[in-house]
Amino acid sequence: MAKTKPSSAKKDLDSYTIRGTNIVVKAGDCVTMRPSDSDKHPYVAKVEKIEGDNKNNVKVKVRWYYRPEESMGGRRQFHGAKELFLSDHYDVQSAHTIEGKCTVHTFKNYTKLENVGAEDYFCRFEYKAATGGFTPDRVAVYCKCEMPYNPDDLMVQCDECKD
């Protein structure tokens, strides 16, 4: 009789505890992930699914956030230092590359934060990686500069429109 290989079936997991910490990651959480080049900023992703096999290999399906400089067109004057774009780029990665959890706020909520921590980011655009397109393709612009608001820059009220 032939020997059967043990099943390496994958099973969905409810959570993953980051190695060496008590930080628990669940589907829906935003995380920072270790880049292969230690000179780069950590990558930011939203965990879509966590799965493991019978050998304790844990993988996460993630949806990547892009930084402006990683997008077609690059960083523009109105992009905030902590701005990210939620992309349509999905990937499966080893859970061991997760460094920690972070929070990606809506633009409105980010501008209301009293203190912006290292783990705080914001997103006001979705990004189509293949085409370089953005949704929405327009955002509100302000007065004379006709530029979207950059939360890192001090804005002064316009005498004309009071905006």
Side-chain angles (χ1 to χ4, degrees):
M1 179 175 218
K3 285 186 177 179
T4 57
K5 279 182 140 182
S7 170
S8 61
K10 295 176 181 165
K11 62 181 183 222
D12 288 350
L13 303 175
D14 292 331
S15 64
Y16 169 77
T17 302
I18 299 172
R19 205 186 262 174
T21 74
N22 59 358
I23 300 170
V24 177
V25 175
K26 296 182 178 189
D29 288 344
C30 292
V31 295
T32 54
M33 300 186 82
R34 190 172 24 268
S36 55
D37 182 350
S38 62
D39 291 341
K40 289 187 174 184
H41 292 290
Y43 296 116
V44 179
K46 183 175 186 176
V47 176
E48 298 286 320
K49 184 177 183 179
I50 305 170
E51 58 184 29
D53 63 20
N54 61 354
K55 295 177 184 166
N56 290 329
N57 294 315
V58 180
K59 301 276 188 191
V60 287
K61 180 180 181 186
V62 297
R63 185 175 180 188
W64 294 111
Y65 283 95
Y66 280 43
R67 287 185 165 79
E69 54 273 13
E70 298 165 338
S71 69
M72 289 185 203
R75 182 170 287 281
R76 308 268 303 274
Q77 179 183 346
F78 62 87
H79 291 137
K82 305 291 293 263
E83 185 158 6
L84 302 171
F85 310 140
L86 182 61
S87 78
D88 58 354
H89 177 186
Y90 292 84
D91 217 347
V92 175
Q93 297 287 313
S94 168
H96 300 309
T97 61
I98 298 173
E99 291 183 333
K101 286 170 69 168
C102 62
T103 304
V104 180
H105 302 273
T106 64
F107 180 72
K108 186 176 183 179
N109 289 347
Y110 181 84
T111 60
K112 292 177 181 177
L113 291 177
E114 285 192 29
N115 296 307
V116 176
E119 69 288 340
D120 289 310
Y121 298 92
F122 74 91
C123 178
R124 60 179 152 181
F125 296 105
E126 286 196 25
Y127 178 67
K128 291 184 178 30
T131 63
F134 289 93
T135 305
D137 58 359
R138 296 180 178 270
V139 292
V141 295
Y142 291 89
C143 299
K144 296 175 185 175
C145 66
E146 298 267 325
M147 292 293 274
Y149 177 51
N150 179 339
D152 301 333
D153 294 339
L154 176 66
M155 294 288 282
V156 180
Q157 187 178 36
C158 175
D159 292 332
E160 299 283 323
C161 68
K162 303 295 183 210
D163 220 356

